[in-house]
Amino acid sequence: MSMHRVLTALGCALTAVLATAWSTAPPTQPDRAAATTLRTHAGVVRGAAHDGYRTFEGIPYAEPPVGSLRWAQPRPAAPWPGVRDATRPASACPQPAGEVPGGSTDEDCLHLNITTPDGAGPARPRPVIVWLHGGGFTTGAGGSYDAHRMATRGDVVVVTVDYRLGALGFLAHSGLSGSGTFGLADQQAALRWVRTEIGAFGGDTHNVTLAGESAGGYSVCAQLASPAAAALFDRAIIESGPCTGRPDRPFAPSSVPLSTARATGADLAAKVGCGSAHDVVDCLRRVAVSRLLAAQDTDQQPAYDTPLLPSDPAAAIADGRFPRVPVLIGNNHDEGNGWAAGIVQAGNPVTPGTWPDVVSAFFPSPGQTKAIVREYPVHRTDGGPVFGAVIGDANFACPTARTGGLLAAQVPVWRYEFADEHAPPLTPGTPPFPLGAPHASELPYLFDLGGRPRDLTAAQRRLADTMIDYWTRFARTADPNGPSSPPWPRRTVLSLAPDHIVPTHTAEHRHHCMFWNALG
């Protein structure tokens, strides 16, 4: 195995550890004061009433993608008789162990969860935020995100979505319509459900914000670039998922050409014994989920050059081929530190002597290693943080800046950098160096991950409230500004930290991004 594959696998393993930190047990269920029922076109659902909000969980938005519907376009959910229990999340989509304890092999997973504030109803609808979870297109679950703080403080309806992951969501084969984009098609099916049904839950069908983090953020990029999604949402929030991600930068999500995805699909078919079958797709549909999960690559990407995603989102954004919707986009100050720390702890020290080899594993193009080592020198004791800075700048900070600039040429854009250097750790144990604000560390400020509030200081709780205010005002009016929060100038990066919420433009950041742009 190459050094690149080793380090990428370690990075993916760390992603699973990050996920495990917020869902090591089923989400805690708050006390139910009373049940509450609502009618959808498919039938009646019974949710749960809480203090100031209601939840409706595990509602199917599409038929189970099982049997002949494995690797098929999502179909609307069939009606059900009687009252469907919607008081707890349904099964997560198939995935290895990590965020979901023990993983999942249940393909009946196309469900969504709704949190709605008291008082919301058809006569007084609230803005809607549809949340797409991250997890590298391989792990994650909508049920991990308890959205009651966002719903009640922001007076919005929040919908979290489960969509097909891994090979079951992104397999490509010449015999499959929708190759490489089944997970994205699921997201669109959920958005169509929201446009049709959310009014019954007190949501405004004409004011839908599509939001996500990491792979969920990149999913928002893909939906911006998909003609089929053009009328399905009205605003976009992209957290740590820049639209200009690239497959040769292995930590940020990206997409791949259909030809590449088909080659990956052929490898998977061969691994599970279907490569030489008379009908490869029929053979694959009979393979056990557990076997598919064991055989799939750790990296998963949607495919472009497809009907759903005609071009790479990076190209679509650069060419202005996307709906004219306002965008809130940002990244974290220390995106790469979690991966760098995990790789160091796994027995791969970053020293002046090993640094060129580590760089060449990630940037194998001739001539790039020396340039990166010069730009980011490693001294005796600072190898881990320098490695984290390279991962963060190359994969997140600079692509996010580029994405924001491209979008701002066409639509209103608000940019942020989450910069709480004392953000609560998402991993157990003591890291080899301070992590600052690494990838995903902003999420506990917006959600109770796994149904549990994080241990935030009073200042961090105020920051969490401010972030929720910004996010939900943007969902309401397409402008995050309001009388209770520091002003956020458009096209200006707002640094979000407990001790300061101010515009930031550092010379070092501009210099590094000029370097990566020149490097190509």
Side-chain angles (χ1 to χ4, degrees), residues 151-203:
T152 55
R153 182 175 179 86
D155 200 27
V156 296
V157 174
V158 184
V159 181
T160 66
V161 179
D162 286 291
Y163 54 94
R164 280 174 284 183
L165 302 166
L168 289 163
F170 300 98
L171 178 79
H173 187 276
S174 59
L176 283 174
S177 174
S179 271
T181 59
F182 299 107
L184 298 180
D186 294 343
Q187 296 168 5
Q188 293 185 3
L191 286 166
R192 286 191 293 271
W193 188 98
V194 167
R195 285 289 204 204
T196 303
E197 305 283 2
I198 204 63
F201 298 84

Side-chain angles (χ1 to χ4, degrees), residues 267-295:
D267 289 343
L268 178 74
K271 287 179 182 178
V272 298
C274 293
S276 58
H278 174 70
D279 187 330
V280 173
V281 172
D282 180 68
C283 178
L284 284 168
R285 283 179 171 145
R286 289 184 276 110
V287 175
V289 171
S290 57
R291 192 176 178 194
L292 291 171
L293 293 178

Side-chain angles (χ1 to χ4, degrees), residues 492-508:
T492 299
V493 182
L494 199 67
S495 179
L496 302 173
D499 57 342
H500 68 268
I501 300 177
V502 296
T504 178
H505 282 296
T506 66
E508 181 182 25

Side-chain angles (χ1 to χ4, degrees), residues 107-408:
E107 292 181 88
D108 182 3
C109 66
L110 300 186
H111 304 91
L112 49 76
N113 313 293
I114 301 168
T115 305
T116 182
D118 284 351
R124 193 166 165 243
R126 306 304 206 270
V128 180
I129 296 176
V130 177
W131 178 260
L132 303 177
H133 67 76
F137 293 113
T138 306
T139 65
S144 295
Y145 297 82
D146 180 332
H148 80 273
R149 286 189 291 116
M150 183 179 290
T152 55
R153 182 175 179 86
D155 200 27
V156 296
V157 174
V158 184
V159 181
T160 66
V161 179
D162 286 291
Y163 54 94
R164 280 174 284 183
L165 302 166
L168 289 163
F170 300 98
L171 178 79
H173 187 276
S174 59
L176 283 174
S177 174
S179 271
T181 59
F182 299 107
L184 298 180
D186 294 343
Q187 296 168 5
Q188 293 185 3
L191 286 166
R192 286 191 293 271
W193 188 98
V194 167
R195 285 289 204 204
T196 303
E197 305 283 2
I198 204 63
F201 298 84
D204 186 347
T205 60
H206 303 293
N207 188 355
V208 176
T209 296
L210 184 61
E213 182 267 346
S214 195
Y218 192 78
S219 293
V220 178
C221 296
Q223 302 302 351
L224 282 169
S226 175
L232 296 180
F233 58 98
D234 308 288
R235 329 203 194 291
I237 296 176
I238 302 168
E239 299 178 28
S240 301
C243 303
T244 51
R246 293 164 35 171
D248 62 345
R249 305 282 168 86
F251 292 103
S254 62
S255 57
V256 295
L258 179 60
S259 57
T260 300
R262 283 180 172 173
T264 301
D267 289 343
L268 178 74
K271 287 179 182 178
V272 298
C274 293
S276 58
H278 174 70
D279 187 330
V280 173
V281 172
D282 180 68
C283 178
L284 284 168
R285 283 179 171 145
R286 289 184 276 110
V287 175
V289 171
S290 57
R291 192 176 178 194
L292 291 171
L293 293 178
Q296 72 182 17
D297 283 349
T298 54
D299 300 324
Q300 298 290 327
Q301 294 105 354
Y304 62 88
D305 297 331
T306 60
L308 187 145
L309 197 59
S311 63
D312 184 352
I317 299 300
D319 294 342
R321 291 180 281 111
F322 60 91
R324 298 301 185 256
V325 300
V327 177
L328 188 157
I329 184 172
N331 58 275
N332 296 351
H333 186 273
D334 307 293
E335 291 275 7
N337 277 358
W339 282 292
I343 291 168
V344 170
Q345 286 181 312
N348 299 274
V350 180
T351 67
T354 64
W355 184 223
D357 289 337
V358 172
V359 170
S360 64
F362 284 96
F363 305 95
S365 299
Q368 289 193 349
T369 297
K370 290 183 178 179
I372 296 169
V373 169
R374 283 196 304 268
E375 181 74 10
Y376 295 83
V378 167
H379 304 293
R380 187 171 60 86
T381 60
D382 66 348
V386 173
F387 187 21
V390 169
I391 294 173
D393 289 350
N395 291 272
F396 293 97
C398 297
T400 297
R402 174 168 169 74
T403 299
L406 293 171
L407 290 168

